[in-house]
Amino acid sequence: AKTEGKGTYRFFEASMGAQIRERRSIEHDLRSAIANNELSLAYQPQAQVDTGEVNGFEVLLRWNHPTRGSVSPALFIPIAEESGLILKIGEWVMREACREAASWKRPLSVAVNVSALQLTSDGFVEFVQAILEQTNLPAKRLEIEITETALIRDPNRALLSLQRLKEIGVNIAMDDFGTGYSSLSNLRAFPFDKIKIDRSFIQAVHANPQAAAIVRAVLGLGRGLGLPVIAEGVETSEELRFLGLEGCAEAQGYLFGRPAPIMEFMQLITDEFMV
Ligand code: C2E
Ligand code: CA
Ligand code: CA
Ligand code: CA
């Protein structure tokens, strides 16, 4: 039993070592990803539920690694956050997204994910303000998506940043709503303009009484607080139909379009009368 325990321990130690090396390697390569032009932005449409009309896009970071190929943000964003690299990367995303949106012929919104470290870092609000001025993007067309975990890190600084962003006219959406520990009190304590229902509640919502009850409750909450609600991860027409019947105004998901280079949405961002 003793040797077995030791062997198990060694195996555990070895796989931990491999995991740590893997993280270090990703962190190392991420350091030069911007300079090497390996990062790009994918855009995913956010649409009106009743008409299908596109209101704007969420920006999602993509990393095309020279040997690993496409690396999932679910893997590299946490590493970027823990290593502090998210500050540089996040600045790059914000600048690129605002520059891109400012070039569109139609005043569609652009939603950028902002992590805890960015939101509470020194000069973040000034940085956003400077980018808006440099790119000439009206603040009301920029939305930042914040998850609850971003608020927990340093609630006082997060609140201050969000209040100041709101003052300059930037919209603030609470991302992954319903998955955090205290979504309701956070909704009251922070100046959100929009609620984004997490996709885990949207999946087969029409056929799942529990998910349906939660989505109905969130929509009621939105109505009561006067906050628009957007559903993320809408993949089927059944899900969309349910959302329409329950009065959800906006949706995003593969049904409307997968995240893709902005060129694939050319007809949406150019003036149709000019083509
Ligand atoms: P998120 O903000 O919740 O983004 C939504 C995720 O759901 C994206 O995954 C998107 O590709 C995916 N998705 C969209 N529609 C559907 C659908 O209909 N079905 C399914 N199954 N999935 C759908 P992605 O692109 O892999 O990004 C993962 C996460 O990485 C994001 O979750 C966000 O938290 C983070 N992330 C991505 N880009 C950035 C960024 O620029 N900055 C920061 N801080 N985080 C980012
Ligand atoms: Ca998001
Ligand atoms: Ca989300
Ligand atoms: Ca998410």
Side-chain angles (χ1 to χ4, degrees):
K2 231 178 185 174
T3 39
E4 199 181 285
K6 217 170 172 185
T8 311
Y9 173 71
R10 275 207 198 107
F11 173 75
F12 176 71
E13 195 178 44
S15 73
M16 278 293 284
Q19 245 177 298
I20 290 166
R21 276 196 301 280
E22 169 85 349
R23 279 188 73 94
R24 283 215 192 105
S25 152
I26 289 176
E27 186 187 324
H28 172 270
D29 294 351
L30 201 49
R31 248 169 235 291
S32 48
I34 297 180
N36 294 346
N37 276 316
E38 291 164 12
L39 299 184
S40 64
L41 298 181
Y43 291 78
Q44 187 177 35
Q46 300 184 322
Q48 210 56 40
V49 166
D50 50 1
T51 61
E53 193 185 344
V54 170
N55 302 327
F57 295 92
E58 178 179 4
V59 174
L60 294 156
L61 189 57
R62 294 291 176 260
W63 182 17
N64 187 18
H65 185 280
T67 56
R68 293 172 193 268
S70 174
V71 185
S72 168
L75 177 71
F76 75 80
I77 293 282
I79 296 175
E81 285 171 344
E82 279 160 42
S83 61
L85 283 169
I86 194 71
L87 294 178
K88 266 257 144 42
I89 293 172
E91 286 189 1
W92 182 84
V93 171
M94 184 66 73
R95 187 176 291 115
E96 289 294 308
C98 290
R99 184 164 35 203
E100 175 57 46
S103 76
W104 300 340
K105 296 282 183 278
R106 299 176 56 213
L108 303 173
S109 62
V110 65
V112 177
N113 292 287
V114 169
S115 75
L117 197 62
Q118 284 177 277
L119 184 67
T120 56
S121 69
D122 276 338
F124 178 68
V125 179
E126 289 78 5
F127 168 76
V128 172
Q129 202 160 14
I131 291 294
L132 292 172
E133 279 162 21
Q134 285 160 25
T135 58
N136 257 329
L137 183 73
K140 64 171 193 290
R141 287 182 53 201
L142 175 65
E143 185 163 278
I144 63 170
E145 296 193 359
I146 305 282
T147 61
E148 269 179 78
T149 39
L151 305 173
I152 292 162
R153 207 189 127 85
D154 188 346
N156 297 327
R157 285 185 77 137
L159 178 61
L160 206 67
S161 290
L162 292 178
Q163 283 170 336
R164 294 179 53 216
L165 286 165
K166 201 186 171 91
E167 270 165 32
I168 63 176
V170 173
N171 289 297
I172 300 150
M174 187 179 206
D175 205 353
D176 300 349
F177 187 82
T179 61
Y181 289 107
S182 43
S183 303
L184 297 182
S185 50
N186 285 333
L187 204 52
R188 193 163 69 160
F190 296 89
F192 288 103
D193 299 295
K194 195 189 248 189
I195 299 172
K196 201 163 183 186
I197 312 181
D198 190 68
R199 75 164 184 266
S200 58
F201 301 113
I202 304 303
Q203 195 183 13
V205 63
H206 55 284
N208 181 332
Q210 277 183 320
I214 291 168
V215 170
R216 271 191 207 102
V218 177
L219 291 168
L221 193 63
R223 277 191 288 274
L225 296 172
L227 294 178
V229 175
I230 180 169
E232 72 172 8
V234 178
E235 296 184 358
T236 68
S237 50
E238 289 84 1
E239 292 160 355
L240 185 69
R241 196 178 117 78
F242 174 91
L243 292 167
L245 290 172
E246 297 299 333
C248 181
E250 214 186 350
Q252 175 183 352
Y254 295 165
L255 185 64
F256 296 98
R258 293 197 174 236
I262 195 66
M263 294 305 280
E264 294 193 19
F265 302 108
M266 211 57 199
Q267 75 286 3
L268 295 173
I269 58 170
T270 49
D271 190 334
E272 53 201 305
F273 302 108
M274 278 174 63
V275 185

